[in-house]
Amino acid sequence: MAIIDHNSRSRLIRDLSISFVIYSLPVVAIFLYFKLTNGVITQSHLTLPSFLEFTKPAFENIRTWGLTVFMLVLGIIEFTAGLYDDEWTGEERKIDIICFLAPKLLLPPVIAFFSLTALPYLIPNLANSLSWVPFWGGFFLIAIADDLTQYWYHRLHHQVPFLWRFHRTHHSAPYMGMAMASRQNFIYTVFFSQIYLTATLTYLGLGLPALFVLVIKSFITLGAHSSIKWDKPFYKYRILHPVAWVLERLISTPATHHAHHADTSGDGVGHFKGNFGNMFFLWDVIFGTALITRKYPTSYGMKSYKQEEWYAQFLWPIFKSKKEGSALAEGVLSVPIKAKIETVSPSPVYYEQAQS
């Protein structure tokens, strides 16, 4: 088991302390709003601000079927433009399609059970207890709680060798685009921590803000994974540089997120040891895990990738890979970059470096 050195432990404690402060900010803001209005609630989240009311039907439709259509249309555009370089073949096609479809079958019953059975049992008297919170308060509460939690979930799956095995499927694709945006091991997907956090906040009465956060976040994360580099004009034209400076530090863009999926970090562009942000890139800026170059990697994935079988990538550790040397094969260990050198090995064993 990897031992965390003193510097890493100190940094982790510092970053977690900062996180707790960030988590508390929307709560403090809502409390101050409540105190400044002398406890008089003039608007709850159940009613959208008037200038947003016309958007509600659109957001509801996007949530139910619009995002799926958007992904398919964007994927078709990517293929038509030849942005995959003929790399979407064989096992790659299988794993991408299965990872796209399976969560739509697996997650609804899991979330339904959690929301309709587990939460009423665990916190029976708190349903809709936050329904008085103004829409803006609920929006920022969920946006921060959801995305900062996902930042840590993502970061730990890179920095903890055991957890890396459940996330490496997402980094095995030798391309970027809609085809691989949902590419994950099923355990990583089912235990997606912020899903349950958002479900809990919705149960507490913040369903409408949660809808808006989910849709906005989905567009940002899908755009960051897309092979269409929509952020290029912001870097090309000088008049847009101030906008680019803010944009690339606030949200994930193709340039920053593609760097996270690069197959090397030795070229000054790739940065799989950071750029963990999903909706907000701001977390990487705050915690010092950001690299902004305004450039794009020339190749993606992992150099050790063996094009493992779809069932091994999606269902590991239930099913193991039969590819020799694969990190998902029987008896293969995943170790950190700075691995302790074993002087005695009783039997042959393969290692894969964790992308920490």
Side-chain angles (χ1 to χ4, degrees):
M1 183 174 65
I3 299 175
I4 300 177
D5 59 46
H6 177 72
N7 290 335
S8 297
R9 187 183 297 110
S10 298
R11 180 181 177 183
L12 183 61
I13 292 173
R14 181 203 67 187
D15 289 354
L16 287 173
S17 299
I18 294 173
S19 294
F20 286 126
V21 173
I22 295 172
Y23 277 124
S24 70
L25 291 178
V27 178
V28 172
I30 294 169
F31 174 77
L32 290 176
Y33 168 82
F34 186 73
K35 297 296 289 185
L36 291 173
T37 57
N38 295 318
V40 177
I41 305 302
T42 58
Q43 180 188 53
S44 79
H45 85 280
L46 297 176
T47 304
L48 280 172
S50 57
F51 68 92
L52 285 177
E53 191 65 42
F54 76 97
T55 66
K56 185 178 178 180
F59 272 72
E60 289 175 340
N61 289 330
I62 289 171
R63 171 66 181 90
T64 54
W65 55 266
L67 286 173
T68 299
V69 172
F70 174 75
M71 289 182 68
L72 293 175
V73 170
L74 194 54
I76 291 172
I77 293 173
E78 291 174 338
F79 278 109
T80 303
L83 299 178
Y84 282 79
D85 295 329
D86 298 323
E87 291 178 320
W88 201 57
T89 57
E91 294 296 337
E92 309 308 320
R93 185 185 301 114
K94 292 179 185 177
I95 185 63
D96 286 341
I97 293 174
I98 289 168
C99 288
F100 175 76
L101 296 176
K104 293 170 176 54
L105 300 175
L106 288 174
L107 288 181
V110 172
I111 297 173
F113 173 81
F114 180 76
S115 301
L116 301 177
T117 304
L119 287 176
Y121 176 78
L122 296 171
I123 46 178
N125 300 318
L126 296 180
N128 295 316
S129 58
L130 296 180
S131 60
W132 59 270
V133 174
F135 175 83
W136 65 264
F139 181 89
F140 286 109
L141 176 64
I142 293 177
I144 290 176
D146 174 287
D147 205 58
L148 181 54
T149 301
Q150 187 172 358
Y151 167 86
W152 277 105
Y153 189 74
H154 187 188
R155 175 173 164 177
L156 290 175
H157 274 77
H158 276 265
Q159 296 182 338
V160 178
F162 173 74
L163 294 178
W164 162 245
R165 209 85 70 86
F166 297 104
H167 180 54
R168 72 184 296 280
T169 298
H170 188 58
H171 284 265
S172 62
Y175 44 81
M176 292 295 291
M178 287 300 97
M180 54 74 61
S182 304
R183 181 174 175 141
Q184 294 284 9
N185 176 281
F186 86 104
I187 290 180
Y188 185 93
T189 299
V190 170
F191 286 94
F192 223 35
S193 53
Q194 70 280 6
I195 289 177
Y196 305 100
L197 177 62
T198 300
T200 301
L201 292 172
T202 299
Y203 172 80
L204 294 177
L206 299 178
L208 193 55
L211 168 66
F212 275 68
V213 171
L214 183 144
V215 171
I216 292 172
K217 178 173 182 173
S218 296
F219 277 111
I220 292 174
T221 54
L222 290 175
H225 281 90
S226 175
S227 58
I228 299 173
K229 302 178 175 89
W230 59 262
D231 53 342
K232 263 189 173 181
F234 292 95
Y235 312 141
K236 181 178 180 180
Y237 301 106
R238 185 176 298 275
I239 193 173
L240 295 178
H241 285 183
V243 178
W245 191 94
V246 174
L247 195 68
E248 64 194 358
R249 285 164 176 77
L250 179 61
I251 66 172
S252 291
T253 63
T256 55
H257 198 68
H258 281 214
H260 176 70
H261 281 265
D263 67 354
T264 180
S265 61
D267 60 357
V269 177
H271 191 52
F272 54 73
K273 297 182 181 182
N275 290 17
F276 301 120
N278 291 273
M279 176 167 62
F280 293 127
F281 190 74
L282 183 62
W283 311 134
D284 287 285
V285 175
I286 291 173
F287 299 120
T289 54
L291 177 65
I292 300 174
T293 65
R294 299 186 176 181
K295 298 178 181 179
Y296 308 88
T298 56
S299 53
Y300 301 96
M302 301 178 298
K303 292 186 181 300
S304 60
Y305 181 47
K306 304 293 182 181
Q307 291 192 325
E308 294 92 348
E309 306 88 345
W310 71 265
Y311 55 81
Q313 296 200 63
F314 182 62
L315 295 170
W316 186 92
I318 297 176
F319 294 100
K320 306 292 179 66
S321 174
K322 296 181 175 62
K323 295 291 183 73
E324 183 178 357
S326 165
L328 303 180
E330 193 74 43
V332 181
L333 303 178
S334 180
V335 297
I337 295 296
K338 296 180 180 177
K340 179 180 178 182
I341 299 176
E342 298 288 344
T343 55
V344 179
S345 180
S347 60
V349 64
Y350 297 100
Y351 291 88
E352 181 194 53
Q353 291 182 329
Q355 295 199 0
S356 60

